[in-house]
Amino acid sequence: MAVQISPSILSADFARLADEARAVEDTADWLHVDVMDNHFVPNLTLGLPVVKSLLKAAALPIDCHLMITDPDQHAPASAEAGVQSVTIHAEAAKAPVRTLRAIRAAGARAGLGINPSTPVEPYQDLLPELDMLLLMTVEPGFGGQKFLDLVLWKIRRARAMLAAGGHREIWLQVDGGVSAETIERCAEAGADVFVAGSAVYGAQDPAQAISALREQAERAVAVAGWSVPHPSL
Ligand code: DX5
Ligand code: ZN
């Protein structure tokens, strides 16, 4: 199954995180956790202690998105704590090769995130170090923002780059403004892992919203015809 959905708890009720995680565990693939330090982005969320509690409380694997200025210092600790996927930002990492390798060495999947205005091409040589490429489809920092269509071309270029380089095993994640209105365009362009915050936790029935998003994305991927089966985790 090519499509994966990673609901973002940024739009969940922070006072009831365990319940909110449970609400999506039957239909989601991952639980997306946004770590923000109020420096890399103008917002402050949670850190490793909360992530560790979620690891214990949640049945889903954790997809940790680090929006922090010093991922080189902090990312390995998340992986060592048992987080299954750790994504650092290209704009923040000073030693991405070392940090991505440290994440993998600790047993986690290594992700590289890039902001809407950061081109993907300079990271081509880094692809062998990655398990996932995250293309932000809003400026990072807040949930509920409008999807940036301008990133669609970059999604296409990234998908082509992965195919041309023989990197089909690398997942291509989109994050920001992903909803019933936009997920098909993302999938058609080449994304296969979809983060959705407000479209899931703002819905009456979060589990059902995930199933509906997945159906839409699977249909669009089938039409686009680029999909390949994922190896199981
Ligand atoms: C934003 C975060 C996202 C956020 C997405 O910087 O990285 O994960 O939760 O929220 P929505 O889906 O509401 O745009
Ligand atoms: Zn995120």
Side-chain angles (χ1 to χ4, degrees):
M1 185 182 56
V3 164
Q4 298 185 75
I5 310 287
S6 187
S8 167
I9 56 155
L10 187 62
S11 295
D13 180 349
F14 270 35
R16 302 171 40 252
L17 284 181
D19 294 341
E20 297 280 62
R22 212 165 297 123
V24 297
E25 72 184 23
D26 290 338
T27 54
D29 299 283
W30 293 87
L31 197 64
H32 185 85
V33 177
D34 291 299
V35 174
M36 304 185 187
D37 67 353
N38 207 26
H39 292 278
F40 182 67
V41 290
N43 196 5
L44 187 66
T45 53
L46 50 83
L48 194 52
V50 177
V51 171
K52 282 181 174 168
S53 295
L54 277 168
L55 278 168
K56 279 189 244 156
L60 287 167
I62 304 280
D63 165 27
C64 195
H65 177 192
L66 297 177
M67 285 161 278
I68 60 177
T69 48
D70 198 353
D72 303 300
Q73 170 76 22
H74 299 288
S78 300
E80 283 154 18
V83 170
Q84 292 86 344
S85 177
V86 179
T87 297
I88 60 170
H89 263 266
E91 300 84 0
K94 292 184 187 69
V97 175
R98 186 172 63 218
T99 303
L100 292 163
R101 287 185 180 181
I103 291 169
R104 276 181 164 176
R109 296 177 60 87
L112 185 74
I114 62 177
N115 285 342
S117 64
T118 303
V120 70
E121 286 75 10
Y123 299 99
Q124 189 161 6
D125 291 343
L126 219 48
L127 292 179
E129 308 294 334
L130 301 185
D131 298 299
M132 184 167 80
L133 185 62
L134 158 61
L135 303 184
M136 290 303 299
T137 40
V138 297
E139 293 288 4
F142 301 94
Q145 300 183 77
K146 193 175 172 321
F147 179 81
L148 293 172
D149 286 278
L150 61 90
V151 184
L152 285 168
W153 289 109
K154 186 162 58 179
I155 301 173
R156 288 181 208 284
R157 294 201 306 277
R159 174 52 63 191
M161 200 165 96
L162 294 180
H167 295 295
R168 286 182 179 272
E169 76 289 354
I170 299 177
W171 299 350
L172 187 51
Q173 185 179 63
V174 284
D175 181 8
V178 176
S179 68
E181 284 70 49
T182 58
I183 194 165
E184 289 177 22
R185 275 179 281 158
C186 294
E188 189 275 330
D192 57 0
V193 185
F194 303 87
V195 177
S198 45
V200 169
Y201 283 107
Q204 199 77 324
D205 181 345
Q208 203 278 329
I210 291 167
S211 301
L213 287 170
R214 186 191 303 282
E215 244 175 70
Q216 279 187 283
E218 280 176 350
R219 224 176 308 126
V221 166
V223 171
W226 56 259
S227 104
V228 285
H230 282 305
S232 54
L233 281 173

